[in-house]
Amino acid sequence: MKIDENTKFEEAARAWLAIKKLEVKGNTFEESYRRTVEKILSPRLDGLALGDITRDTQTELFSYLAETYCDSTLRKCVIVLNAIFAEAVYQGANLKALPPIKVKSKKPPKTKRTYTVEQAEEVEKYCKVHKY
């Protein structure tokens, strides 16, 4: 499928995903790419032609997403959206690349729990003698 500036986001994303699926391992494809497109980007961008996705659209999208998602998920979204546009440009679409955007999550970070050296050694000992 040829992607141009009139191609709807969902069609361009589907075409890009088909290419990406050949380039990465299955789990990486599912978690980093397909999920990002289908669960996060598509609900907000489906129905828009690539040429209608502007800096304002991008700013509005990421302002909304920053309320719900952590920084690493937001970075994935930026990468995927830029890659879809890059593929369209590669195929000859008359599009300008999306301007770089840095997004900071508004969601408070989760507290990370770590093991002490002693706790880690105890878990390791336990694992050596218990099958599961």
Side-chain angles (χ1 to χ4, degrees), residues 44-95:
R44 304 289 297 177
L45 298 175
D46 280 2
L48 293 175
L50 292 180
D52 294 335
I53 299 174
T54 63
R55 170 103 181 169
D56 289 342
T57 310
Q58 184 186 26
T59 302
E60 183 181 313
L61 168 69
F62 284 104
S63 292
Y64 172 79
L65 295 178
E67 298 290 335
T68 307
Y69 295 101
C70 66
D71 287 329
S72 63
T73 300
L74 294 172
R75 280 192 301 275
K76 278 187 210 176
C77 291
V78 169
I79 290 166
V80 168
L81 187 57
N82 286 334
I84 292 168
F85 266 72
E87 179 60 28
V89 169
Y90 175 77
Q91 290 193 23
N94 186 19
L95 292 170

